[in-house]
Amino acid sequence: MNIIDELTGSFSRLPGIGKKSAARIVNHLLKADQNYVNAFSRQISELQQRIKPCSVCGSWTENDPCPICSSPVRDASVICVVEQPQDVQTIEGAGGYSGLYHVLGGVIAPLEGVGPDQLNIASLVARVQKGGVSEIIIATNPTFEGDSTALYVQRLLNEHTSVRVTRLATGIPVGGDLEYADKLTLARSFRGRTEF
């Protein structure tokens, strides 16, 4: 096995990249400018050394606390609870949310051996108990595990705090057709309907 095969194999292990895409990436790097390849290589080798979880919210950051947690213009009374650090990037990219975040680090999945103690749930409760938080928005994915985790977090917060707990709305996407919506999506759309 030569270096091209090894590198193709490494790239194909990345999520969303198959063997053909990995081979295209390797061929692109072979034709690319040497300075670009050197910079790319350096960035990959330094990634895990420079990026760490924020000590406050758990999102990826180079500076601790992260720019969102340390921003004086963010609304510190609202915390959006997400599963993974990349969810923070997704919500930030969409715009429209100006509060803080809390990353759980996954979802409760008993079949995979992940219980509440393996997630950053206790630190969320501690953040809320410090005071100043009026609302927790639970933004876990609308899956069985995401819903179970949301329910667990909601019950725990209601048990130990008096903060308002909400859940992101789910339903039919903008531009979607009713005929292509599954039963669960339709049911959630009816439950989450709003006034005009």
Side-chain angles (χ1 to χ4, degrees):
M1 181 178 277
N2 63 32
I3 187 81
I4 293 175
D5 295 333
E6 290 175 10
L7 196 53
T8 301
S10 294
F11 278 121
S12 67
R13 290 180 57 195
L14 295 171
I17 298 181
K19 291 261 185 209
K20 287 183 179 180
S21 295
R24 273 189 234 113
I25 292 169
V26 171
N27 283 303
H28 171 77
L29 292 173
L30 284 169
K31 294 184 244 174
D33 177 57
Q34 185 66 45
N35 291 330
Y36 167 76
V37 174
N38 289 342
F40 183 67
S41 171
R42 181 183 46 76
Q43 291 161 356
I44 290 175
S45 69
E46 293 177 3
L47 181 65
Q48 291 184 334
Q49 297 163 358
R50 292 175 55 181
I51 305 297
K52 302 288 182 210
C54 173
S55 60
V56 178
C57 71
S59 185
W60 298 124
T61 185
E62 202 164 343
N63 302 310
D64 193 24
C66 72
I68 293 172
C69 288
S70 58
S71 171
V73 298
R74 301 294 293 214
D75 182 358
S77 69
V78 181
I79 297 176
C80 181
V81 177
V82 296
E83 293 179 16
Q84 299 293 345
Q86 57 265 35
D87 298 330
V88 172
Q89 297 165 351
T90 301
I91 294 171
E92 284 297 295
Y97 176 70
S98 62
L100 300 179
Y101 294 93
H102 189 86
V103 178
L104 295 175
V107 288
I108 298 169
L111 296 176
E112 296 172 23
V114 180
D117 295 340
Q118 281 86 38
L119 303 177
N120 296 326
I121 297 173
S123 59
L124 172 64
V125 175
R127 278 180 80 180
V128 174
Q129 287 176 334
K130 284 182 185 175
V133 178
S134 63
E135 181 181 6
I136 296 291
I137 303 169
I138 300 178
T140 54
N141 290 320
T143 61
F144 176 76
E145 292 84 1
D147 288 344
S148 299
T149 303
L151 185 61
Y152 179 86
V153 170
Q154 181 253 331
R155 286 183 177 163
L156 194 64
L157 287 168
N158 287 343
E159 206 175 286
H160 297 286
T161 70
S162 60
V163 70
R164 177 179 178 225
V165 182
T166 60
R167 179 97 161 103
L168 278 188
T170 57
I172 300 168
V174 174
D177 290 327
L178 283 177
E179 69 178 296
Y180 299 115
D182 61 275
K183 291 178 184 178
L184 182 59
T185 300
L186 277 174
R188 287 177 188 230
S189 296
F190 275 103
R191 282 196 310 267
R193 66 188 184 276
T194 58
E195 299 268 343
F196 261 101

